[in-house]
Amino acid sequence: MPELPDVEGFRQVLLSCGRGCRVTGVRVRDAGVLRGVSAPRLRSVLEGRRLGTPWRHGKWLFVPVEDGGPARGVAPRREGAAGAEGPVLAFHFGMTGSLRCCARDEAPAPHDRIVFTLDGPRSLRYRDQRKLQGVRLTDAAGVDRICEGLGPDALSVHKPEFRDALAGRRGTVKSELMDQSVIAGLGNLLRDEILWRARVAPRTAARDMDERTLRGVHTAMGRVLKTSVHDRRVPPRRGWLTGRRDDGDPHCPRCGSRLRSGRVSGRRTVWCPVCQP
DNA sequence: CACACTACCTGGGGGC
DNA sequence: TGCCCCCAGGTAGTGT
């Protein structure tokens, strides 16, 4: 499930449950989610240290790891998130990952791959059924390397920047919006929803969109994201395309036409042939 | 260069 | 009940 809104929700989890807490234990229950770091190293770097203020870019979530003094909370603010000096935890949730805040003694769920015990009453868990992505331990330079490969964050990108990102792209809008190096954070559901709202057919070539259409896509993206971030997921509302895509015989919530479904750039794509000509 | 296809993983659901 | 195949909201690598 994780697209930008879900990951933003996980950031909130870290903010309310993890920030400023000291990590007292790291239990790696399945090392298959570790990327480029061993379980012992993850443990030795984290244990005794505190979690800083998390930040997100696209579908990536970063958490600076700060020295674990006795004082709780108030870590000295450094120059910008990416300016953190020490180690940084980097999460990517793939298709099935999540980050949950649980009671410290709550029994782990089958897919809780890593349990971070904190000095408060709670623990954080990286839960992930499919293990398509995972957890890394890096530093500011590593974060920069990751972000260099990403376009502007979909939640904060303004219209001119958005237009520049898509300008001259040869691919279909659908594939360009799904390309994290163009715009970071959109997943398959969001893209379908945004294009449906903007009344743009998924196979439209990005370079064929005029200024007005691009603005419409940007506006639709903003609205869809705003609601989705609030709900911490892309909500399956009946008034949304997302609320219909799994119906047996899905119809457009706007015009009632039968929805089309097919593959565009390798992903299942749902659209309304009437609203999105 | 845009696209198709595969691989990485696991589990749920439908058909038989 | 069991088995097989397809499907899933992600990404990276390879070939055409």
Side-chain angles (χ1 to χ4, degrees):
Chain A
M1 28 138 129
E3 300 185 54
L4 186 154
D6 308 77
V7 181
E8 184 59 18
F10 303 147
R11 189 177 71 87
Q12 296 296 333
V13 167
L14 272 172
L15 220 40
S16 61
C17 172
R19 178 167 67 155
C21 291
R22 195 205 314 257
V23 179
T24 56
V26 177
R27 192 148 41 102
V28 177
R29 305 181 70 244
D30 186 336
V33 295
L34 297 179
R35 305 287 141 138
V37 61
S38 67
R41 172 155 164 74
L42 185 70
R43 194 178 325 123
S44 71
V45 168
L46 287 183
E47 283 181 2
R49 294 189 131 122
R50 293 185 185 282
L51 301 179
T53 304
W55 78 97
R56 180 191 60 71
H57 189 105
K59 299 172 191 172
W60 285 87
L61 184 58
F62 302 108
V63 191
V65 178
E66 300 171 346
D67 286 342
R72 196 191 151 90
V74 232
R77 196 78 194 109
R78 298 194 173 90
E79 70 291 4
E85 285 158 30
V88 178
L89 266 177
F91 293 92
H92 195 296
F93 299 91
M95 302 250 291
T96 52
S98 66
L99 199 58
R100 3 251 312 174
C101 177
C102 301
R104 169 195 264 271
D105 52 1
E106 188 179 322
H111 304 304
D112 284 345
R113 310 297 189 185
I114 307 180
V115 177
F116 303 93
T117 312
L118 306 176
D119 59 355
R122 294 185 288 258
S123 66
L124 276 171
R125 302 168 184 207
Y126 179 78
R127 185 174 299 179
D128 189 5
Q129 178 197 124
R130 288 173 68 184
K131 302 184 282 187
L132 290 174
Q133 297 292 323
V135 179
R136 286 149 220 262
L137 188 63
T138 181
D139 55 17
V143 172
D144 287 347
R145 252 176 276 126
I146 290 169
C147 291
E148 271 167 22
L150 300 174
D153 183 73
L155 191 57
S156 51
V157 67
H158 295 292
K159 277 198 178 81
E161 215 185 338
F162 179 77
R163 185 197 49 219
D164 291 348
L166 286 171
R169 292 245 144 212
R170 293 154 185 261
T172 60
V173 228
K174 166 97 180 174
S175 67
E176 297 303 339
L177 288 179
M178 108 192 323
D179 186 337
Q180 301 299 299
S181 69
V182 175
I183 296 286
L186 304 181
N188 203 36
L189 289 189
L190 282 172
R191 295 185 286 256
D192 280 2
E193 192 67 39
I194 290 163
L195 292 177
W196 172 73
R197 285 236 196 161
R199 299 173 183 265
V200 173
R203 289 183 220 265
T204 307
R207 53 151 61 154
D208 290 346
M209 292 195 298
D210 58 21
E211 192 69 24
R212 183 182 163 72
T213 309
L214 273 171
R215 279 208 306 273
V217 173
H218 180 268
T219 302
M221 180 174 78
R223 293 190 179 147
V224 169
L225 281 177
K226 186 177 178 193
T227 304
S228 300
V229 165
H230 179 265
D231 285 13
R232 299 188 172 198
R233 63 172 177 160
V234 185
R237 302 185 178 189
R238 293 299 285 167
W240 287 36
L241 197 66
T242 14
R244 308 291 181 111
R245 57 157 52 220
D246 293 327
D247 289 0
D249 182 24
H251 289 265
C252 175
R254 194 162 44 202
C255 76
S257 310
R258 178 169 299 167
L259 294 173
R260 287 262 171 76
S261 165
R263 297 219 160 243
V264 177
S265 48
R267 311 299 248 103
R268 185 162 96 100
T269 301
V270 176
W271 74 99
C272 173
V274 176
C275 296
Q276 299 164 264

